[in-house]
Amino acid sequence: MSAVLKAGLIGLGSMGRHHARVLAGLEGVELVGVVDPMGDKNGWAQGAPVLSTVEELIALGIDYAVVACPTGLHEEVGLQLADAGVCALIEKPLADTVEGARRLVEAFESRDLVAGVGHIERCNPALLSLRSRLEAGELGDVYQVVTRRQGPFPHRIADVGVVKDLATHDIDLTGWVTGQTYTSIAAHTVSKSGRPHEDMVSAVGQLSDGTMVNHLVNWLSPLKERFTSVTGERGCFIADTLTADLTFHSNAAVTTEWEALRAFRGVSEGDMIRYAIPKREPLLVEHELFRDAVQGKPADICTLRQGLRTVEVAAAVIESATRGVTVQPAAMSTTA
């Protein structure tokens, strides 16, 4: 493998154009080709040749490819790359079905190829700081994780509903920041936009250590919100991933003399801290990590097996909503 990695991109849509921008300026990487059957009408390919097929891209001798085509094509494209011995960073979700995700895991693992899933929230500065603080035990025992991910309908999405497109962010980040897996999930969905897929979901779940989880995700709100809170023994962390801000609300250590408040033997309001966090672009951080992984350096990327577990939980959410029952997501090896 040369000192400068030859990278390719598949898909020049609303996410692919950002991948092209980052790849074109990424140190140690050369963007040698982009695949999009629709061409490059908007000049998003950063000067790289625009090809019609994945085969043409593979023929350029690429070291790795970024897969940013529609979710329904992830499996087909990923298997082509694996068969050719090409490493891949596949946009989330890994695949549109659990079976497809499993086939991708097998294809890349059996060939010992570096592959990852673009769960970009793992690179958000607020969540990186939150995770490190949880690992350091700053919150004590964790009781609950709550996420809200709301906003208007994105017209770029046509092949999946809000669970696979948006809720997979929250499923992945919840397991990642806590270091736990989902053991049960119960959900309700609605479809109000006239599309065949759901556009709102409310889910309640439990993690392997007993932590309670709540997710509210929709494409029906004019309010854009990206909210994650983790409540525990010593207080509550709140992360706003739109602004990359992290705030800590501590439990009060001051004794109150107000009898009406003392009657409740719970926690009370304490200090609030808003942390100063270095804020780098998450997509750039994601690409740097994957580049390093391809070069054989230690890098904390989201593996395909981790991406598979997220697809399994998303499938359990849809199954729960469809059948009206609590579902235990399919058990998978915890090997990442």
Side-chain angles (χ1 to χ4, degrees):
M1 190 176 296
S2 62
V4 176
L5 296 174
K6 297 172 69 174
L9 171 65
I10 299 154
L12 264 182
S14 60
M15 195 64 202
R17 62 189 175 104
H18 293 296
H19 282 295
R21 169 181 56 82
V22 173
L23 282 168
L26 189 61
E27 184 178 355
V29 172
E30 179 188 2
L31 178 60
V32 299
V34 177
V35 176
D36 197 309
M38 302 297 291
D40 183 20
K41 302 175 183 177
N42 300 293
W44 289 337
Q46 304 293 318
V50 180
L51 313 170
S52 298
T53 67
V54 176
E55 290 83 0
E56 292 175 82
L57 183 64
I58 292 172
L60 296 178
I62 55 174
D63 296 301
Y64 74 93
V66 177
V67 179
C69 54
T71 303
L73 298 175
H74 284 188
E75 179 186 356
E76 175 187 342
V77 171
L79 292 178
Q80 282 183 275
L81 295 170
D83 286 342
V86 176
C87 301
L89 174 62
I90 303 173
E91 260 300 339
K92 64 86 206 158
L94 174 56
D96 60 346
T97 67
V98 171
E99 295 75 19
R102 287 175 178 159
R103 285 189 285 269
L104 285 170
V105 170
E106 169 62 24
F108 283 92
E109 286 188 351
S110 65
R111 294 168 174 82
D112 199 25
L113 293 169
V114 176
V117 185
H119 279 292
I120 195 171
E121 291 287 42
R122 293 188 178 205
C123 300
N124 188 285
L127 294 177
L128 282 166
S129 180
L130 170 57
R131 183 183 188 227
S132 67
R133 293 176 186 280
L134 291 178
E135 288 179 337
E138 293 185 19
L139 198 59
D141 289 341
V142 175
Y143 302 151
Q144 183 185 47
V145 179
V146 175
T147 70
R148 297 196 301 270
R149 187 172 296 267
Q150 308 182 85
F153 172 68
H155 293 283
R156 63 184 175 82
I157 301 298
D159 57 341
V160 294
V162 75
V163 171
K164 292 181 180 179
D165 183 67
L166 275 193
T168 46
H169 277 302
D170 297 305
I171 292 166
D172 179 74
L173 75 84
T174 296
W176 178 70
V177 300
T178 62
Q180 304 298 318
T181 57
Y182 285 76
T183 57
S184 69
I185 199 82
H188 294 280
T189 60
V190 297
S191 182
K192 297 293 184 181
S193 62
R195 301 168 65 252
H197 304 290
E198 79 289 341
D199 40 43
M200 175 179 282
V201 60
S202 177
V204 177
Q206 190 171 47
L207 303 182
S208 47
D209 66 348
T211 297
M212 180 187 297
V213 174
N214 299 77
H215 300 308
L216 177 62
V217 188
N218 75 70
W219 280 328
L220 299 176
S221 172
L223 165 70
K224 188 169 185 179
E225 183 180 35
R226 302 289 185 268
F227 171 94
T228 301
S229 73
V230 182
T231 301
E233 181 183 3
R234 296 173 186 157
C236 177
F237 284 114
I238 295 179
D240 182 335
T241 52
L242 284 176
T243 61
D245 288 327
L246 179 66
T247 306
F248 177 58
H249 298 259
S250 69
N251 293 340
V254 178
T255 303
T256 180
E257 297 181 5
W258 188 357
E259 185 63 34
L261 292 181
R262 290 176 61 190
F264 175 62
R265 306 270 183 200
V267 300
S268 56
E269 184 179 10
D271 295 330
M272 183 182 75
I273 303 170
R274 179 179 171 275
Y275 298 104
I277 304 172
K279 297 179 180 180
R280 302 183 67 226
E281 181 186 2
L283 188 61
L284 173 58
V285 174
E286 180 179 81
H287 275 278
E288 289 175 344
L289 289 171
F290 193 75
R291 172 203 62 197
D292 291 350
V294 173
Q295 291 175 332
K297 301 175 184 177
D300 185 15
I301 65 171
C302 177
T303 67
L304 294 199
R305 194 165 287 276
Q306 292 168 341
L308 166 59
R309 290 201 292 270
T310 294
V311 173
E312 288 176 332
V313 176
V317 169
I318 295 173
E319 180 183 354
S320 171
T322 301
R323 296 175 51 209
V325 297
T326 299
V327 175
Q328 284 72 43
M332 282 292 297
S333 167
T334 56
T335 302

